[in-house]
Amino acid sequence: MPSTVTESLIFRDMFGTAAMRGVFSDEALVGRYLEVEVALARAEAATQVIPTEAADAIAEAARTMPIDFDRLRHETEITGYPIIAIVHQLAEAAGDAGGYVHWGATTQDIMDSATVLQVRAALDLVRADLIELRGILAALALKHRDTPMAGRTHLQQALPITFGYKVAVWLSMIERHIERLEQLRPRVLIGQFAGAAGTLASLGADGLKVQAALCDLLGLGRPTATWHVARDGFAEVVAFLGLVTGSLGKIATDVMLLMATEFAEVAEPFVKGRGASSTMPQKRNPISSELMLAAAKAVRQHVALMLDGMVQDLERATGPWHAEWIAIPESFILTGGALAQARFVLGGLIVDAQRMRDNLAISGGLIVAEAVMMAAAPRLGRQRAHDVVYDACRSAVTDRRPLADVLTEMPEIVDALGGTDAIRHHCDPANYLGLAPQMVDHMLSQLGRKPSVAKPSLGKPDAR
């Protein structure tokens, strides 16, 4: 029985997706090992290192052979690596051509190249999710471009903003992640083939020709130098996942706080029973947001593990490499799960614009004290305007009165603003949104398209 949340029959679709698990399944991993071994044989045949007939036989054997996973597990436990065990089975299946399997390669060549192929497929899934999420957020920002709400700093009401502005900030992070993903591909999607100590000594003068042919067959970049112990590529990709889940964690935190009873400004999509308590029937907990935040915390630890794993000894590591086997699959699976939860939450997010407006009013106008101060400053000077409005705020708090009522009783402010109507205008939070709506427009214009409104999915997050 599975024992981790990413594989658990109970939890796996909360913390991951079927598609991402498929990329990193044992069956897929062995398939990648065989894909690299076949590509190696084809590359060596093309460069006349081994007979073409041998490469054909190896390819056919890899296509048709059944994998004995019990034998593979047993031999892997003995040797510490799965490649020797795979080579045994492939060589046996290839018959007379079996002697040419794994010609001139070392275990890490095959495993690293296979991992790169997995990473490429996994990044394609991440990119698709990010693009879908970008569309969802763009539509949400456009819809709520002018929806006023309280902006909060240090958990206190600060100044009015719009909900569309808040979403545009979220969107900006996702857009940068899409850009980062494209930029890291050529640095990360590099083939590995260098032989025992990285010098390709086993193939002599043919080594670099075979390496180039192998990378071309796999559709991977050619390395500028052996990267057996230069692990910055894999560290970068996991760090990228840390950035993605970190942004999702920030979004989740905002949603959770805004779902609090005292705020009640947004809610996750309603699905009967979702987020329910076993004892409190009224509860509607932010389950998807909680899962996004948990994933962010877990992936963050794997980022640290990958950075630590960059410190490798000499020409072949004695342990840090193995840590990658843990960190890379789990990081991708958790990221895929977090992205699925984000698509679900934001695609069907319930926004209570009236509650946002009501919450803007709970301070009795104090949230726009700056607006009054700045409006009075041209007549009074900034410091004098600050001092007068500060005193008015203290009176409003002490007497529990609206700030506008206190200000209308202060002739100095009435005169500076030009009348009581002007005071009440400046004390309306909806009139002090700054350039929040225009910032939404600017963010959307950077996408180079008009966002279409994404249809919300009101079921559970998919198991994609």
Side-chain angles (χ1 to χ4, degrees), residues 97-369:
Y100 291 106
V101 173
H102 200 66
W103 191 267
T106 192
T107 289
Q108 192 170 350
D109 290 337
I110 306 304
M111 291 186 68
D112 278 352
S113 294
T115 300
V116 172
L117 295 177
Q118 289 181 301
V119 166
R120 181 172 65 186
L123 285 175
D124 287 343
L125 294 177
V126 170
R127 183 180 186 277
D129 280 343
L130 287 172
I131 289 175
E132 183 176 348
L133 191 55
R134 177 176 65 183
I136 291 170
L137 289 173
L140 196 60
L142 182 64
K143 180 177 180 180
H144 292 284
R145 173 187 186 273
D146 302 305
T147 302
M149 68 177 296
R152 299 173 173 95
T153 63
H154 302 278
L155 294 179
Q156 307 293 308
Q157 286 199 3
L159 291 175
I161 60 172
T162 70
F163 185 63
Y165 161 82
K166 178 183 287 292
V167 175
V169 173
W170 298 345
L171 173 60
S172 69
M173 296 187 289
I174 299 304
E175 183 67 5
R176 286 190 292 273
H177 293 323
I178 294 172
E179 182 180 1
R180 288 185 180 102
L181 193 157
E182 297 308 315
Q183 291 171 343
L184 68 81
R185 280 181 181 273
R187 291 191 294 270
V188 173
L189 303 182
I190 302 294
Q192 180 83 283
F193 182 69
T199 64
L200 284 169
S202 59
L203 294 179
D206 295 320
L208 290 177
K209 291 187 294 184
V210 172
Q211 182 190 80
L214 171 63
C215 290
D216 289 347
L217 285 170
L218 294 174
L220 299 176
R222 302 177 187 179
T224 55
T226 302
W227 52 278
H228 285 158
V229 287
R231 312 307 284 182
D232 55 292
F234 283 161
E236 180 180 5
V237 80
V238 176
F240 164 72
L241 299 179
L243 290 172
V244 170
T245 53
S247 293
L248 298 181
K250 188 278 184 286
I251 295 171
T253 298
D254 280 1
V255 171
M256 288 188 289
L257 287 172
L258 295 178
M259 279 185 68
T261 304
E262 290 77 9
F263 291 169
E265 294 177 354
V266 304
E268 290 190 358
F270 177 76
V271 176
K272 186 175 181 180
R274 184 168 179 79
S277 165
S278 62
T279 58
M280 296 171 283
Q282 84 281 7
K283 291 296 293 296
R284 185 172 168 187
N285 297 321
I287 296 301
S288 289
S289 296
E290 293 173 1
L291 291 168
M292 290 159 63
L293 185 59
K297 292 177 180 294
V299 175
R300 182 187 313 147
Q301 303 308 310
H302 284 321
V303 173
L305 180 60
M306 291 295 293
L307 293 176
D308 184 70
M310 290 179 66
V311 184
Q312 304 211 0
D313 46 291
L314 306 178
E315 280 63 58
R316 192 64 66 84
T318 52
W321 182 41
H322 299 67
E324 295 177 358
W325 309 354
I326 303 168
I328 293 174
E330 287 191 4
S331 296
F332 270 108
I333 292 170
L334 290 167
T335 300
L339 284 165
Q341 297 290 347
R343 287 169 27 237
F344 166 73
V345 168
L346 297 169
L349 190 69
I350 298 169
V351 180
D352 191 335
Q354 184 56 53
R355 182 59 181 248
M356 290 178 175
R357 193 70 173 82
D358 292 344
N359 286 343
L360 271 173
I362 63 175
S363 71
L366 293 176
I367 193 172
V368 285

Side-chain angles (χ1 to χ4, degrees), residues 44-114:
E44 291 176 331
T47 54
Q48 300 181 332
V49 173
I50 70 171
T52 299
E53 297 77 12
D56 291 340
I58 291 169
E60 180 63 16
R63 187 183 69 83
T64 59
M65 64 182 277
I67 302 297
D68 185 338
F69 278 95
D70 285 337
R71 178 185 173 188
L72 173 58
R73 174 183 53 78
H74 177 68
E75 292 185 20
T76 300
E77 289 173 353
I78 294 173
T79 62
Y81 308 98
I83 299 305
I84 294 176
I86 287 293
V87 168
H88 287 164
Q89 295 190 39
L90 179 58
E92 291 169 7
D96 292 341
Y100 291 106
V101 173
H102 200 66
W103 191 267
T106 192
T107 289
Q108 192 170 350
D109 290 337
I110 306 304
M111 291 186 68
D112 278 352
S113 294

